[in-house]
Amino acid sequence: MDDNFQVPVVVPAAGIGKRMASDIPKQYLSLAGKTILEHTVERLLSHPNISCVIIALNPQDTYFNTLPLANHKNVITVVGGDERCDSVLSGLHAVKNTVNSPYVLVHDAARPCITHHDISQLIGHCIDTNRGGILASRVRDTMKRSSADNQITHSEPRENLWHALTPQLFKTDELTAALIKALAEHQRITDEASAMEYCHYPADVIPGRADNIKVTQPEDLHLAEFILQQQHKQQEGSPCA
């Protein structure tokens, strides 16, 4: 892929991470000597096709400006909202007004283990096909559907089922329009692809590494640290490819 192709990344980071049972937002928890957010953003910025990272922060955030990341020339901050989609929309407005890119990536703040290879695969596929897409990993386990009181009702066939990951890449104007429409019509938006699906925009799944985990529970910190260590060893100290 041509290194001259450049795309910005919106990183929604306005959440407070209730499931982490921590006094600070999970993106600021320490992981291998840095915050999760630092690992994530530094991994993104070191990819040759990523021009900048736009981070949507909570209006009451008191942590970000204490990080060296706050002074990075390719980091832009915007005010996030109550929900993920509000934060992403805020970032998209910055893309239009500041970066003016026809394409945009969106990546979870708490996915520090994303690899350069997967980012390249996603970008390359979407540019070649002129379609939006998301990184995803195939479902491996038997999937159960339960009732409201947690009794199993049936097993779901796992063929063609995927775990949605990030980054997700779409055309900036299409994603902006999809999020605005879905929000106006009170649709539940769990990721960017769900807004695109609602508005009938085409999107593909691009197989990605299953170790691109999202730090959600306290035990995920140890797993993420192990993954980062293994990736570092595999690359012999270079940025993860």
Side-chain angles (χ1 to χ4, degrees):
M1 182 168 46
D2 186 356
D3 285 355
N4 290 324
F5 177 82
Q6 297 287 286
V7 60
V9 187
V10 172
V11 175
I16 58 175
K18 294 178 181 178
R19 283 175 287 182
M20 287 300 295
S22 171
D23 292 335
I24 65 174
K26 66 180 177 182
Q27 60 268 29
Y28 296 115
L29 293 175
S30 179
L31 178 65
K34 295 181 180 179
T35 63
I36 294 172
L37 182 62
E38 286 176 291
H39 281 289
T40 299
V41 174
E42 289 172 8
R43 182 67 62 90
L44 294 170
L45 286 173
S46 62
H47 190 283
N49 293 110
I50 289 177
S51 60
C52 66
V53 173
I54 299 168
I55 308 175
L57 300 172
N58 190 291
Q60 275 73 52
D61 188 299
T62 59
Y63 301 96
F64 182 79
N65 284 334
T66 68
L67 304 178
L69 200 61
N71 299 313
H72 197 290
K73 64 178 183 178
N74 292 326
V75 170
I76 300 168
T77 60
V78 296
V79 176
D82 292 336
E83 302 294 337
R84 174 196 176 90
C85 51
D86 298 315
S87 293
V88 172
L89 263 179
S90 182
L92 289 173
H93 292 320
V95 171
K96 185 176 180 63
N97 296 330
T98 306
V99 186
N100 195 27
S101 169
Y103 293 92
V104 64
L105 288 161
V106 181
H107 186 61
D108 295 326
R111 287 191 193 271
C113 303
I114 179 63
T115 65
H116 280 194
H117 176 269
D118 278 5
I119 294 172
S120 297
Q121 291 292 105
L122 173 64
I123 295 174
H125 176 92
C126 292
I127 298 306
D128 289 345
T129 61
N130 196 34
R131 294 163 62 92
I134 71 170
L135 287 178
S137 63
R138 288 189 180 274
V139 169
R140 301 174 181 177
D141 303 310
T142 299
M143 304 298 290
K144 301 294 186 183
R145 178 75 64 181
S146 74
S147 62
D149 58 356
N150 292 334
Q151 292 189 21
I152 296 172
T153 59
H154 63 275
S155 297
E156 294 279 2
R158 63 173 176 249
E159 289 77 19
N160 300 319
L161 278 182
W162 298 79
H163 294 287
L165 310 173
T166 68
Q168 303 189 359
L169 187 151
F170 298 103
K171 293 180 180 178
T172 305
D173 289 343
E174 290 181 353
L175 179 57
T176 303
L179 285 170
I180 290 173
K181 177 178 173 64
L183 283 171
E185 297 177 5
H186 307 291
Q187 295 301 304
R188 184 168 180 263
I189 304 303
T190 55
D191 67 352
E192 291 64 55
S194 60
M196 299 295 280
E197 295 159 27
Y198 178 69
C199 295
H200 306 293
Y201 287 112
D204 298 337
V205 291
I206 293 86
R209 292 171 58 125
D211 62 2
N212 178 14
I213 67 167
K214 185 176 183 180
V215 178
T216 304
Q217 307 287 354
E219 59 267 26
D220 296 335
L221 276 172
H222 300 293
L223 179 56
E225 184 165 7
F226 174 77
I227 292 169
L228 289 175
Q229 289 171 348
Q230 294 305 304
Q231 290 178 346
H232 181 78
K233 289 178 181 178
Q234 291 168 9
Q235 296 304 315
E236 298 179 339
S238 66
C240 189

